[in-house]
Amino acid sequence: ADFANDDARSFYDYAVRALGIKPENIKMLIDGEAEQVEILSAFKSWLPSYVNKGKTDVYVFYSGHGLPSTDGKSLFFLPQNGHKDYLTETGIDQTSLVAAISAAKPKSVTLFIDSCYSGQTRHGDALLANARPVALTSRNTGYPATFTVLTASAPDQISWSSDELRHGIFSYYLMKGMEGDADGNKDGKITAGEMQEYLSDKVSRQAMSMSRKQDTQLVGDANRVLMGR
């Protein structure tokens, strides 16, 4: 996906600076490292060794292609070596990742997903013919109560990138929000609701300036504090 590597590298920096995460506690996978086995290994082997059960906050950032299943009930992430025509064999089922994270028993989980649920690229090309968009809800994705999920677009929309910003639109404003721009009441804390309100405004405005439409989505507790002193 266009600028996905830039999105990931920038989020790594913000994870250290804004979230206060030590570099040794961050696993970044880009290019050849972002293949199916490496991604699964990161969630099923690496992550559990870094989680203190009931105490650790886990953050997951994904920028790349997303493809809906043929029945439109689940989302697959497309790894570096994935093939759209063999999705169930080479893709990463989001439900399986949620299960792997949950098995580590963290205190909380935050997912930031800069990916389409519509089966289209960041420039509007179809990845999969006749794809049925995934409707993001707690019910059909199996998110536990400890999960907070912010995604780039509505089910039938494209998650656009910007040549001007050199990032996915969602990723760019997510990181601007983490700088403090999303702190609506200026109390030094950013809640999921504040971040969603900020992203909803900035992302939709940027998309409209490109004659596009994109509306960010939030699943989870809007009052949960994502970051702050």
Side-chain angles (χ1 to χ4, degrees), residues 45-84:
S45 298
W46 180 85
L47 181 64
S49 68
Y50 281 81
V51 170
N52 290 318
K53 294 181 179 180
K55 296 181 180 180
T56 302
D57 296 311
V58 172
Y59 294 86
V60 179
F61 174 84
Y62 176 78
S63 178
H65 292 309
L67 282 171
S69 59
T70 54
D71 59 9
K73 292 182 178 180
S74 59
L75 176 76
F76 286 81
F77 297 134
L78 202 61
Q80 182 75 7
N81 62 336
H83 195 293
K84 62 184 177 65

Side-chain angles (χ1 to χ4, degrees), residues 33-148:
E33 295 175 331
E35 295 188 350
Q36 186 188 49
V37 171
E38 282 73 15
I39 293 173
L40 292 174
S41 177
F43 282 95
K44 295 185 177 184
S45 298
W46 180 85
L47 181 64
S49 68
Y50 281 81
V51 170
N52 290 318
K53 294 181 179 180
K55 296 181 180 180
T56 302
D57 296 311
V58 172
Y59 294 86
V60 179
F61 174 84
Y62 176 78
S63 178
H65 292 309
L67 282 171
S69 59
T70 54
D71 59 9
K73 292 182 178 180
S74 59
L75 176 76
F76 286 81
F77 297 134
L78 202 61
Q80 182 75 7
N81 62 336
H83 195 293
K84 62 184 177 65
D85 293 329
Y86 302 95
L87 193 56
T88 56
E89 293 84 5
T90 65
I92 304 287
D93 186 351
Q94 182 178 303
T95 303
S96 68
L97 292 190
V98 170
I101 299 168
S102 298
K105 301 186 183 305
K107 177 183 177 183
S108 71
V109 181
T110 305
L111 303 183
F112 300 113
I113 304 174
D114 195 346
S115 173
C116 283
Y117 289 79
S118 62
Q120 294 177 288
T121 71
R122 287 179 168 185
H123 281 300
D125 299 319
L127 280 168
L128 198 64
N130 301 318
R132 299 180 183 180
V134 174
L136 178 68
T137 66
S138 295
R139 177 180 56 79
N140 72 356
T141 50
Y143 294 129
T146 54
F147 277 58
T148 301

Side-chain angles (χ1 to χ4, degrees), residues 161-181:
S161 62
S162 167
D163 292 337
E164 176 187 358
L165 301 178
R166 307 294 296 175
H167 282 288
I169 297 173
F170 173 85
S171 292
Y172 178 83
Y173 285 107
L174 171 66
M175 288 174 269
K176 294 293 288 185
M178 290 171 67
E179 286 181 349
D181 290 0

Side-chain angles (χ1 to χ4, degrees), residues 150-151 170 173 177 181-185 190-205 215-218 222-223 226:
L150 281 155
T151 65
F170 173 85
Y173 285 107
D181 290 0
D183 184 8
N185 60 5
I190 299 175
T191 65
E194 284 180 314
M195 182 63 82
Q196 164 62 5
E197 184 176 357
Y198 171 79
L199 290 172
S200 178
D201 176 59
K202 295 297 185 181
V203 171
S204 63
R205 286 178 181 273
D215 301 299
T216 58
Q217 308 288 299
L218 168 66
N223 294 317
L226 298 180

